[in-house]
Amino acid sequence: MPVSAALQALRPRLPFVPDLAIVLGSGLGALADSPEAKAGVSVPFTDLPGFPAPTVAGHGGRLVFCEFEGRKVVLQAGRFHFYEGHPMALVTAPMRIYGRLGVKAVLLTNAAGALNTAFGVGELMALTDHLNFFGTNPLIGPNVAPGPRFPDMTAIYDPAFRARLQACARDLGQTLREGVYLGLTGPSYETPAEIRAFRTLGADAVGMSTVPEAIVARHEGLRVAGISCLCNMAAGLLPQPLTHQEVLEAGAAAADRFEALVRAFVRGLEL
Ligand code: HPA
């Protein structure tokens, strides 16, 4: 994945260097059509060499550079998933680009299934940590300088950002859960036996993204925050099969709360 070619195409179109990147997962996509985004500069993925059009229907992937809650941000609508057959280098290419541009922090959002039975469908969860079950690591291969060969992942999800998310949720009267996100390839959902195993391993939520991006963002020196929208109870926890449709519906139902939390987080954020 030629990050440098994509950067070369992107730089002349940048209105500014953003401080913060926000990756919009299921449930937050509408932010890319917000008034702020409409007033910004939109760059379709397909304008960047090496970036294919996303295969998941409905969203044209794009980067939107805009003023958002008083900050210069880039909103990333659409992401590349490993289950689409893309190499990790492409899955994580946006993080490399943000690092190279001088972006200071990234907020990764996603839809996930809840394993913790104290949590409910439609609730939001700040990531405290993750379990990498992709069976690979996006840093495999020659080290990308200046990141370290063996980067520390002790506080991959920035503790100050987590505290700020909690404070914002409190001010909004929202419940914000906290927990460990287990990332795996998909695209099949998990079996009930897998979910039982993952619960004993300490996972609170499970999903098919975020982990590779968080690792590469840290390698680039970005501060990272992560929020999951818990769109379903994980396989076997309820006496019914999982459908992508219910995930989408729960994401849509949580969208306003999700957006309010993200806006509050960005407003007045110190970077
Ligand atoms: N499993 C994996 N990925 C998901 C789920 C799930 O239950 N829900 C949303 N994304």
Side-chain angles (χ1 to χ4, degrees):
M1 166 67 211
V3 165
S4 51
L7 264 174
Q8 213 180 349
L10 188 57
R11 280 192 200 278
R13 299 178 63 174
L14 285 186
F16 47 69
V17 173
D19 293 323
L20 173 70
I22 307 177
V23 179
L24 306 173
S26 308
L28 270 184
L31 273 184
D33 297 313
S34 61
E36 294 99 324
K38 289 211 168 85
V41 172
S42 180
V43 180
F45 286 168
T46 47
D47 285 4
L48 303 176
F51 275 56
T55 65
V56 180
H59 294 295
R62 61 193 192 279
L63 301 177
V64 183
F65 296 85
C66 63
E67 298 268 353
F68 182 77
E69 298 296 340
R71 288 216 81 94
K72 293 178 171 55
V73 307
V74 52
L75 303 174
Q76 180 186 327
R79 55 154 55 98
F80 300 105
H81 294 93
F82 198 51
Y83 63 70
E84 294 174 274
H86 299 307
M88 277 294 179
L90 178 64
V91 171
T92 58
M95 305 302 124
R96 292 283 178 217
I97 287 173
Y98 303 147
R100 298 304 135 125
L101 287 178
V103 173
K104 298 187 183 108
V106 61
L107 171 60
L108 301 170
T109 71
N110 61 54
L115 279 77
N116 188 325
T117 53
F119 297 173
V121 170
E123 291 190 324
L124 303 178
M125 184 189 93
L127 275 62
T128 56
D129 206 342
H130 73 220
L131 288 158
N132 178 11
F133 269 66
F134 277 82
T136 185
N137 186 294
L139 302 182
I140 289 174
N143 187 45
V144 179
R149 173 74 289 193
F150 303 107
D152 174 54
M153 294 285 142
T154 309
I156 181 164
Y157 300 96
D158 191 283
F161 283 174
R162 280 162 43 200
R164 178 174 173 79
L165 283 169
Q166 279 301 345
C168 293
R170 214 175 309 120
D171 289 348
L172 291 166
Q174 291 186 9
T175 301
L176 178 63
R177 303 295 194 172
E178 288 209 317
V180 174
Y181 174 95
L182 186 144
L184 37 59
T185 66
S188 56
Y189 287 119
E190 303 70 40
T191 64
E194 287 165 345
I195 293 302
R196 282 194 299 276
F198 295 157
R199 277 164 54 89
T200 70
L201 294 176
D204 296 293
V206 60
M208 304 176 193
S209 68
T210 302
V211 165
E213 293 150 292
I215 292 170
V216 171
R218 281 306 295 145
H219 191 247
E220 284 289 327
L222 275 71
R223 295 172 67 190
V224 179
I227 312 175
S228 291
C229 178
L230 304 173
C231 289
N232 58 281
M233 296 309 290
L237 296 182
L238 298 177
Q240 64 203 39
L242 300 190
T243 67
H244 183 52
Q245 189 58 30
E246 71 169 313
V247 172
L248 294 180
E249 284 171 13
D256 288 352
R257 271 179 294 122
F258 209 163
E259 178 172 334
L261 181 61
V262 169
R263 285 184 177 277
F265 177 74
V266 176
R267 206 178 304 132
L269 180 66
E270 306 260 351
L271 286 174

